[in-house]
Amino acid sequence: MNKIFLVIQREFMSRVKKKSFLLATILVPILFPAIIGGMVYLAIQNEKNKELEVVHVLDESSILSFEDTESYDYRLVEGPLDSAKARFSKSEDFALIYIPKFDIDKPEGIKFYAHTSPGVNLVDGFENKIEAQIRDVKLTRSGLNEEQLEELKTYVQIESFNLSETGDEKKSDSGVTFGIGYVMGFLIYIFLFAYGAQVMQGVIEEKNSKIVEVIVSTVRPFHMMIGKVVGVASVGVFQFLIWMVLISVISFTAMAAFGLSMDPVETAQMMQGVDNADALQSNQKVQEMMTIVNDIPITKIVLLFVFYFLGGYLLYGALFAAVGSAVDTPADAQQFMMPIMMPIIVALLGLMMFVFPDPHGTVSFWLSIIPLTSPIVMMGRIGFGVPAWEIALSMVLLVGGFIFTLWLAGRIYRIGILMHGAKVNYKVLAKWLMQKN
C-alpha cells in the first residue's frame, strides 16, 4: 500500500509543479467568465449595429400587411414572380417573400428567396409573422373587430413550485435548474476527456522512456496503474477546489462592486424607498432570483459533483491507462479510443435529448443508473429533484463499475506495459484478458 501512495505522490507532485498547471488553475476561472462576457457584449453590439435589411414582398393574396420594424424595411413589389426575382437578384437587398393566392384554411406556395442560405430562426420568424396575420384575418372574417381581437390575446405566466410530502412549498425555476444540470454535466464530460487523456499520455511516455521497467522492478504493474490513475484524479480534485474558491471570491467581489447581495433580506431592504415602477419591478425580479439561488443545495451539488467526477474519472481513467499500456504511440491508441469515447458522447447527447425535456423519464433514469453514463447524466438530473434511492443506486453501481473496470484494465496493463513493438489489436487484448496470472 505504501508503494501505491508513493506512485500517487509522484504523479501528483510532478503535475502540480508544472507551470501549465498553475496557469490553467489561475486563468480558467478568469478566462471563462471573460469569454462569456465578451460573447454577450459582442451579441449586444451586433444587435445595436445591425443594419436595416430591405425585404421585397410580392403579395398576390392582397390579404396580408407588412409594417416596417427596427430590423426590416418591407417594400411591396408588383408584377409576375419571374420579374420580381430578376429585380431582386440584381439588387443587394436582403430577401424576397412571394405570397401567392391561397386558401386561407390551407395556405401553400409561400416562398422565401435570399442571396445566401438564411438561418433557421430567421425563416421561422417570417413564418410566425405570416401565421399571426392569417389567424387575425380568420378572426376578423368571423365578425370580430380590432378591440375584440386584442382582448382575445391573453398572456399567461405560470409560477413553478416544488411541493414536499409535508406540504411545504418551494419556488423552483426550470431555467436555473437547466443551467446547473448542463454546466455540471458538461464539466464532467470535459474532465473525463482531459484527465483521462493525461493518464494515457503519461503511460505511453513512461513506457517509451523505459522508466516503467525500473519502476516495475519494485512496484507491481497493477499497483502502479492504480497509483497513476488516483494521482491524476487527486490533481483534478485539487484544481477543482482551487477553482471553486477563486470563482466564489470573484463572484462576491463582482456582486459587491455592483451593489448586489445574495441575501434576499438585504435585497428587500434595498427595494425600500424605490419609487420608480420599472426599477421596483426589476428589483423584485432580482430578489426572486436571489431567493431561488439561495434555495439551491450548493453543498449537496458540490459533494455529488466531486463523487461523480471521481467515480467517472476512475472508471474511464483505468480504461485510458490500459489503452496507453497496450500501445507505443498516441496514434496507435486511436483504434481503441472510440469504444471508450462512445458512452461519454452518448451521455452528453442523452443529457440534451432526454434529461432536459423529461428528467424523470425512463431513458433519463437508466442513463443515470448505468455506470458508463451516470457521471454526466445524473449530474444533469440532480437539479430536478432526484429521489434519494435513485442517487444511492447510481452511486453504488458506479463504485461497482469502477472496481470491475479496474480489474479489467489491470489484466491488460500488467502485460501491455512491458510489451514493445508488438502489433496490438482487439484479438490480442482479448487474449491478454483471458491469460491466467
Side-chain angles (χ1 to χ4, degrees):
M1 187 61 70
N2 289 335
K3 293 179 179 180
I4 295 178
F5 283 118
L6 288 174
V7 176
I8 294 174
Q9 183 181 11
R10 173 180 176 272
E11 291 296 326
F12 181 84
M13 296 305 298
S14 64
R15 283 170 168 76
V16 169
K17 289 181 178 179
K18 290 182 178 179
K19 292 182 179 179
S20 58
F21 174 84
L22 182 62
L23 289 174
T25 303
I26 296 175
L27 291 179
V28 167
I30 301 173
L31 192 60
F32 272 95
I35 292 174
I36 294 173
M39 293 178 68
V40 172
Y41 174 77
L42 291 175
I44 295 173
Q45 293 299 314
N46 184 58
E47 287 297 321
K48 287 182 179 179
N49 299 330
K50 192 175 182 180
E51 296 181 358
L52 189 66
E53 303 284 4
V54 177
V55 178
H56 297 193
V57 178
L58 176 56
D59 184 9
E60 296 179 352
S61 68
S62 301
I63 62 174
L64 304 180
S65 61
F66 291 84
E67 297 180 358
D68 295 341
T69 65
E70 295 180 356
S71 302
Y72 301 108
D73 175 16
Y74 294 101
R75 297 182 183 178
L76 297 178
V77 297
E78 298 180 352
L81 177 59
D82 290 339
S83 299
K85 289 196 295 184
R87 290 193 298 270
F88 170 70
S89 62
K90 294 179 181 178
S91 71
E92 296 182 357
D93 296 333
F94 179 65
L96 165 65
I97 298 177
Y98 170 63
I99 305 172
K101 292 181 180 180
F102 57 83
D103 182 356
I104 198 167
D105 294 322
K106 193 176 181 181
E108 294 179 344
I110 300 175
K111 298 179 180 179
F112 180 91
Y113 298 94
H115 296 294
T116 57
S117 298
V120 176
N121 292 337
L122 186 145
V123 177
D124 287 343
F126 286 116
E127 288 179 348
N128 294 334
K129 181 181 181 67
I130 295 173
E131 287 173 357
Q133 289 200 46
I134 293 176
R135 182 169 58 250
D136 289 344
V137 170
K138 287 183 177 181
L139 291 172
T140 302
R141 290 184 178 181
S142 67
L144 299 175
N145 55 39
E146 290 293 332
E147 294 181 357
Q148 291 172 320
L149 287 176
E150 195 63 31
E151 291 176 357
L152 288 173
K153 296 179 180 179
T154 305
Y155 301 95
V156 177
Q157 184 175 3
I158 298 177
E159 291 186 276
S160 177
F161 294 89
N162 293 334
L163 190 64
S164 67
E165 294 180 358
T166 59
D168 296 331
E169 295 182 2
K170 185 173 70 173
K171 191 173 180 61
S172 64
D173 188 278
S174 298
V176 175
T177 304
F178 172 87
I180 292 172
Y182 182 82
V183 170
M184 291 296 179
F186 190 74
L187 281 176
I188 290 183
Y189 169 81
I190 295 296
F191 287 164
L192 289 181
F193 274 120
Y195 293 112
Q198 285 187 30
V199 172
M200 186 183 72
Q201 186 65 32
V203 172
I204 294 175
E205 289 176 357
E206 289 181 353
K207 181 177 178 179
N208 290 332
S209 64
K210 309 297 183 181
I211 295 177
V212 68
E213 296 179 2
V214 177
I215 297 177
V216 296
S217 63
T218 56
V219 181
R220 293 179 61 186
F222 182 73
H223 292 165
M224 189 174 71
M225 185 190 75
I226 295 177
K228 182 173 287 292
V229 172
V230 175
V232 176
S234 62
V235 174
V237 173
F238 180 62
Q239 193 171 48
F240 173 73
L241 293 176
I242 295 176
W243 285 344
M244 289 296 297
V245 173
L246 289 177
I247 290 173
S248 299
V249 171
I250 293 172
S251 299
F252 281 109
T253 302
M255 293 183 70
F258 287 99
L260 298 175
S261 173
M262 291 292 288
D263 189 353
V265 176
E266 293 184 18
T267 305
Q269 293 174 351
M270 290 171 56
M271 291 172 58
Q272 295 178 358
V274 178
D275 297 326
N276 185 277
D278 292 336
L280 182 62
Q281 185 178 8
S282 176
N283 283 332
Q284 287 175 340
K285 291 181 179 179
V286 171
Q287 184 187 24
E288 291 178 0
M289 182 59 67
M290 292 301 179
T291 302
I292 292 171
V293 171
N294 283 334
D295 288 338
I296 296 173
I298 300 295
T299 303
K300 175 184 176 182
I301 290 175
V302 170
L303 291 177
L304 286 174
F305 176 85
V306 172
F307 174 84
Y308 278 104
F309 160 65
L310 285 175
Y313 163 75
L314 293 174
L315 187 150
Y316 281 99
L319 295 177
F320 278 109
V323 170
S325 68
V327 299
D328 293 328
T329 64
D332 295 335
Q334 296 304 314
Q335 61 175 318
F336 303 111
M337 292 300 294
M338 186 56 66
I340 299 176
M341 293 169 58
M342 281 305 298
I344 304 177
I345 297 172
V346 167
L348 185 65
L349 293 176
L351 196 67
M352 295 181 287
M353 295 177 62
F354 299 104
V355 174
F356 295 143
D358 186 10
H360 304 290
T362 303
V363 177
S364 299
F365 169 78
W366 285 109
L367 286 176
S368 64
I369 294 299
I370 299 172
L372 290 172
T373 56
S374 64
I376 295 173
V377 177
M378 182 56 83
M379 286 310 303
R381 293 185 64 205
I382 288 297
F384 294 96
V386 181
W389 72 268
E390 291 187 16
I391 298 177
L393 177 61
S394 175
M395 294 171 75
V396 170
L397 290 178
L398 182 57
V399 172
F402 158 63
I403 294 174
F404 174 75
T405 305
L406 191 64
W407 172 82
L408 199 70
R411 297 186 67 84
I412 297 175
Y413 191 93
R414 64 190 173 89
I415 299 176
I417 196 65
L418 297 175
M419 297 287 289
H420 295 279
K423 186 177 181 181
V424 180
N425 51 36
Y426 288 104
K427 185 177 180 180
V428 174
L429 293 182
K431 183 179 178 181
W432 291 354
L433 288 172
M434 299 301 294
Q435 186 172 328
K436 295 181 180 180
N437 294 332

